[in-house]
Amino acid sequence: ETGVTQSPTHLIKTRGQQVTLRCSSQSGHNTVSWYQQALGQGPQFIFQYYREEENGRGNFPPRFSGLQFPNYSSELNVNALELDDSALYLCASSLAGQQFTDTQYFGPGTRLTVL
Amino acid sequence: AQSVTQPDIHITVSEGASLELRCNYSYGATPYLFWYVQSPGQGLQLLLKYFSGDTLVQGIKGFEAEFKRSQSSFNLRKPSVHWSDAAEYFCAVFRGSNYKLTFGKGTLLTVNP
């Protein structure tokens, strides 16, 4: 059983650019969630995808968007990057049941720096 | 709105000493509670979780946590800390209606030799 993997590990972009982060879910998991963790803070929920549809969203603007593919891998896209987008982006996969009371397993994260 | 409070930003203990990290939550219904650990520059590793039943739950690496509904708390404990336990610890609440984990701001644990 493979764990959650993310790519790239680190990324440096400039303000105004666009970025795509990738996540490969744990084998058998059908749900992926994305979190932003700013320095010194706890992770903040961005959104969740279940069976390729957005299933819930946190307090993030529309320039944060995502995709989930049939193989349950996922992308997080951020447009018009701002300096405050600099953070560790974490992907978490889970196997959702009817009540979604499932445990989320996290990847190692992608460190994004916006200059 | 639900929230999670970890009152201690930084705790220092000596190796071999006991440890208790505090977590309080604000949530109207019975919560699903988690503790995660994060080593520097790493993702989050699940230590333990509480969904229902026995209020004392055992986790990995010798950690345990106790759910106390009357105090809205879910404190993490370990009887004897090892140097490798130095990391940041996050308490989190899951709310099924919006499918998200809400995290506290974390407690940084330093272990002195």
Side-chain angles (χ1 to χ4, degrees):
Chain A
E1 182 180 279
T2 58
V4 180
T5 60
Q6 293 185 244
S7 63
T9 305
H10 296 90
L11 203 52
I12 299 175
K13 292 286 189 178
T14 56
R15 194 170 48 181
Q17 285 189 309
Q18 180 265 342
V19 69
T20 297
L21 310 182
R22 294 179 174 84
C23 171
S24 179
S25 297
Q26 187 165 316
S27 176
H29 284 183
N30 57 9
T31 303
V32 65
S33 304
W34 285 92
Y35 292 81
Q36 180 195 66
Q37 186 179 17
L39 203 60
Q41 300 295 316
Q44 298 287 318
F45 176 73
I46 302 174
F47 44 56
Q48 183 183 83
Y49 278 80
Y50 171 64
R51 294 183 176 176
E52 303 175 54
E53 302 257 340
E54 188 178 290
N55 195 37
R57 189 175 184 94
N59 189 27
F60 281 81
R63 60 189 184 85
F64 285 78
S65 63
L67 282 172
Q68 186 184 30
F69 300 100
N71 66 354
Y72 302 132
S73 65
S74 174
E75 289 182 354
L76 164 66
N77 299 289
V78 187
N79 293 322
L81 283 167
E82 300 177 1
L83 297 179
D84 285 349
D85 296 333
S86 295
L88 181 68
Y89 288 85
L90 296 164
C91 162
S93 77
S94 51
L95 179 60
Q98 281 190 327
Q99 296 181 357
F100 291 91
T101 55
D102 49 301
T103 301
Q104 297 184 16
Y105 294 91
F106 285 80
T110 293
R111 173 72 62 188
L112 173 64
T113 302
V114 182
L115 304 176
Chain B
Q2 66 191 75
S3 66
V4 179
T5 303
Q6 294 181 247
D8 305 304
I9 297 174
H10 188 192
I11 284 183
T12 300
V13 299
S14 298
E15 191 168 15
S18 64
L19 172 69
E20 182 169 28
L21 302 182
R22 296 183 290 165
C23 172
N24 294 96
Y25 65 90
S26 170
Y27 182 45
T30 300
Y32 301 104
L33 296 158
F34 301 81
W35 275 98
Y36 285 87
V37 61
Q38 185 176 39
S39 297
Q42 302 298 311
L44 299 168
Q45 181 182 22
L46 178 68
L47 284 176
L48 47 79
K49 60 188 178 185
Y50 172 77
F51 284 179
S52 64
D54 192 350
T55 57
L56 184 64
V57 294
Q58 301 297 319
I60 62 171
K61 303 185 179 185
F63 286 93
E64 67 177 26
E66 186 171 13
F67 170 61
K68 293 186 177 179
R69 186 188 305 276
S70 61
Q71 299 177 17
S72 297
S73 70
F74 188 57
N75 294 349
L76 182 71
R77 301 194 295 247
K78 187 170 185 177
S80 177
V81 170
H82 187 263
W83 63 266
S84 61
D85 293 324
E88 188 146 27
Y89 291 79
F90 292 94
C91 179
V93 173
F94 180 82
R95 181 177 177 184
S97 62
N98 60 11
Y99 316 122
K100 71 174 185 178
L101 280 171
T102 298
F103 286 86
K105 292 190 175 182
T107 298
L108 180 64
L109 174 66
T110 298
V111 180
N112 287 334

